[in-house]
């Protein structure tokens, strides 16, 4: 198989906004080259195929998680936030070895450019597109350069709390356009892709990580099951309850580089199995999330059974090693599914 890659990307959608400015009219930045398309005439570096793989992985996770975070804001409690509905990056958002490929493939120079648009979001309805360069939001200039993402993230939060929609000025095909984007209330968790062959996923209370090993193992629907479970663990702050938040956060950080040091995974990576009651609590919430996202909750049982068969608890660093699959979990999940079916039949709200 080819080289496996990892790169953090944010479903918080806060990597997109403003440098402080009193001006309400902002001149567009110098036009960057239109976004090159794969297979175009741009010089093809040796890293571009690897970069394409990385972007494809990000797009897949983004697509699968979209209905889970958009349709379950009510279940995410205080973790739900008003979001713009897109992520934006520049060349400095990527590891050094992929920056030339980012420019060639995405046109990602110094300006922040849209790299993902959340399905079902106000940004999608407004027509925001991949490759659009950000000029301003609510009349305020978008930062550029090495710290653009961090500056934008820091400044966006207060702005989004004050309004339900914003004017977003974009540069598309060297021409400025302005669209009005309605904010989308959604579960605001960061999702990371970890560069590891282990079939596993992690949640530290504010972030979720799925490994490239897990992505290779699961179909999109099965991936949705795991993402729903990890969202549920974060909603309930289970890493805090197990006093493992610091360990989880360190592990997630360790798998972000393109070529992480995996020597620490010779054992259990310092993690212990989740308490049965915590897994059962997450199961219940996740089943409702899957149903509200339009998926059959029975898929969760099938997915966990298959993972337990192929990667049992005896396999170190497997998903089942962290989340043991037991007959009691299965029984309680079937009870919850029956409860959900009754609520659907009687048209009651789908909330646990």
């Amino acid at each position: 198989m080819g080289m496996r890659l990892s790169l953090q990307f944010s479903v918080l959608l806060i990597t997109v906004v403003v440098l402080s400015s009193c001006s309400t009219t902002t001149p567009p930045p110098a036009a960057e080259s239109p976004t090159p398309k794969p297979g175009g005439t741009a010089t093809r570096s040796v890293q571009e195929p690897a970069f394409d793989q990385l972007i494809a992985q990000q797009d897949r996770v983004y697509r699968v998680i979209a209905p889970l975070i958009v349709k379950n804001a009510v279940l995410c409690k205080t973790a739900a936030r008003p979001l713009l509905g897109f992520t934006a990056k520049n060349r400095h958002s990527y590891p050094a070895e992929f920056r030339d490929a980012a420019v060639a493939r995405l046109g990602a120079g110094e300006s922040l450019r849209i790299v993902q648009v959340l399905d079902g979001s106000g940004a999608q309805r407004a027509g925001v597109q991949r490759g659009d360069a950000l000029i301003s939001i609510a009349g305020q200039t978008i930062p550029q350069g090495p710290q653009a993402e961090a500056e934008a993230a820091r400044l966006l939060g207060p702005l989004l709390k004050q309004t339900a929609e914003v004017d977003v000025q974009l540069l598309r095909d060297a021409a400025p356009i302005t669209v009005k984007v309605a904010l989308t209330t959604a579960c605001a968790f960061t999702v990371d892709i970890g560069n590891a062959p282990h079939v596993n996923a992690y949640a530290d209370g504010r972030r979720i990580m799925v490994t490239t090993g897990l992505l290779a193992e699961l179909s999109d629907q099965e991936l949705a099951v795991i993402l729903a479970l990890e969202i549920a663990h974060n909603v309930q702050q289970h890493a805090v309850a197990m006093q493992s938040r610091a360990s989880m956060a360190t592990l997630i950080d360790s798998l972000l580089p393109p070529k992480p040091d995996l020597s620490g995974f010779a054992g259990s990576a310092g993690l212990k199995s989740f308490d049965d009651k915590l897994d059962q609590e997450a199961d219940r919430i996740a089943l409702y999330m899957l149903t509200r996202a339009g998926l059959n909750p029975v898929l969760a049982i099938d997915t966990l059974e298959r993972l337990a068969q192929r990667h049992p608890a005896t396999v170190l660093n497997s998903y089942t090693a962290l989340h043991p699959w037991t007959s009691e979990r299965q029984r309680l999940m079937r009870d919850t599914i029956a409860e959900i079916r009754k609520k659907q039949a009687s048209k009651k709200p789908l909330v646990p």
Side-chain angles (χ1 to χ4, degrees):
M1 295 181 65
M3 180 175 67
R4 293 185 182 278
L5 304 170
S6 69
L7 185 69
Q8 180 178 7
F9 73 104
S10 174
V11 183
L12 281 172
L13 318 179
I14 61 174
T15 56
V16 288
V17 77
V18 297
L19 184 64
S20 296
S21 171
C22 296
S23 174
T24 57
T25 59
T26 308
E32 298 181 17
S33 300
T35 305
K37 305 298 183 183
T41 58
T43 302
R44 184 177 175 85
S45 75
V46 295
Q47 292 295 349
E48 285 178 30
F51 184 77
D52 291 343
Q53 180 185 358
L54 178 135
I55 294 299
Q57 289 172 336
Q58 291 182 338
D59 286 347
R60 181 190 176 201
V61 175
Y62 208 80
R63 181 183 69 251
V64 171
I65 205 171
L68 292 171
I69 64 173
V70 170
K71 297 184 179 181
N72 286 301
V74 66
L75 300 188
C76 283
K77 304 176 183 178
T78 58
R81 299 282 189 279
L83 310 177
L84 278 169
F86 56 80
T87 56
K89 295 183 179 295
N90 65 13
R91 65 187 299 270
H92 303 286
S93 305
Y94 299 93
E97 55 264 53
F98 293 129
R99 288 175 186 167
D100 288 345
V103 175
R105 290 312 216 195
L106 303 177
E110 297 300 309
S111 298
L112 290 173
R113 282 185 178 267
I114 307 300
V115 292
Q116 279 111 6
V117 181
L118 188 68
D119 288 347
S121 67
Q124 184 187 54
R125 293 192 296 272
V128 176
Q129 298 178 12
R130 168 178 280 179
D132 290 343
L134 286 166
I135 300 173
S136 70
I137 293 179
Q140 296 184 283
T141 304
I142 300 301
Q144 299 187 25
Q147 302 303 316
E149 273 198 273
E151 292 172 2
R154 184 182 71 252
L155 294 168
L156 178 58
L159 177 69
L160 297 189
K161 293 178 181 178
Q162 302 170 12
T163 184
E165 62 180 16
V166 292
D167 287 335
V168 178
Q169 190 177 20
L170 305 164
L171 192 69
R172 182 182 299 167
D173 297 328
I177 62 171
T178 300
V179 295
K180 191 174 292 292
V181 175
L183 302 185
T184 302
T185 301
C187 306
F189 292 117
T190 299
V191 176
D192 302 314
I193 298 176
N195 183 16
H198 318 114
V199 178
N200 215 332
Y202 310 99
D204 69 359
R206 62 184 182 86
R207 293 183 295 174
I208 295 165
M209 171 171 278
V210 292
T211 65
T212 51
L214 184 80
L215 293 178
E217 178 80 11
L218 302 181
S219 69
D220 283 0
Q221 288 192 334
E222 291 167 336
L223 177 60
V225 169
I226 301 303
L227 289 171
L229 289 166
E230 297 306 308
I231 291 171
H233 281 300
N234 273 355
V235 167
Q236 297 302 115
Q237 288 294 304
H238 285 163
V240 175
M242 290 187 62
Q243 299 182 339
S244 63
R245 183 169 188 171
S247 297
M248 283 285 191
T250 299
L251 185 149
I252 289 173
D253 288 339
S254 74
L255 294 180
L256 290 176
K259 297 179 180 179
D261 179 6
L262 299 179
S263 60
F265 287 83
S268 61
L271 300 178
K272 56 185 178 180
S273 297
F274 270 66
D275 180 88
D276 288 347
K277 296 299 182 183
L278 299 185
D279 267 334
Q280 291 163 14
E281 186 176 60
D283 291 343
R284 179 171 170 77
I285 295 170
L287 289 169
Y288 273 90
M289 287 184 167
L290 290 166
T291 305
R292 292 169 60 93
L295 294 170
N296 185 344
V298 175
L299 179 68
I301 295 176
D302 296 339
T303 299
L304 293 176
E305 282 186 337
R306 190 169 77 84
L307 279 177
Q309 291 169 1
R310 297 188 63 172
H311 306 277
T314 54
V315 177
L316 292 177
N317 302 307
S318 70
Y319 190 81
T320 313
L322 276 186
H323 306 279
W325 180 239
T326 65
S327 57
E328 179 68 2
R329 278 188 73 184
Q330 183 183 95
R331 183 186 68 79
L332 291 173
M333 289 178 80
R334 293 194 184 282
D335 288 347
T336 299
I337 292 171
E339 173 185 298
I340 290 171
R341 298 302 190 212
K342 287 181 180 179
K343 288 184 178 181
Q344 287 177 313
S346 59
K347 301 188 183 303
K348 291 182 179 180
L350 289 179
V351 294

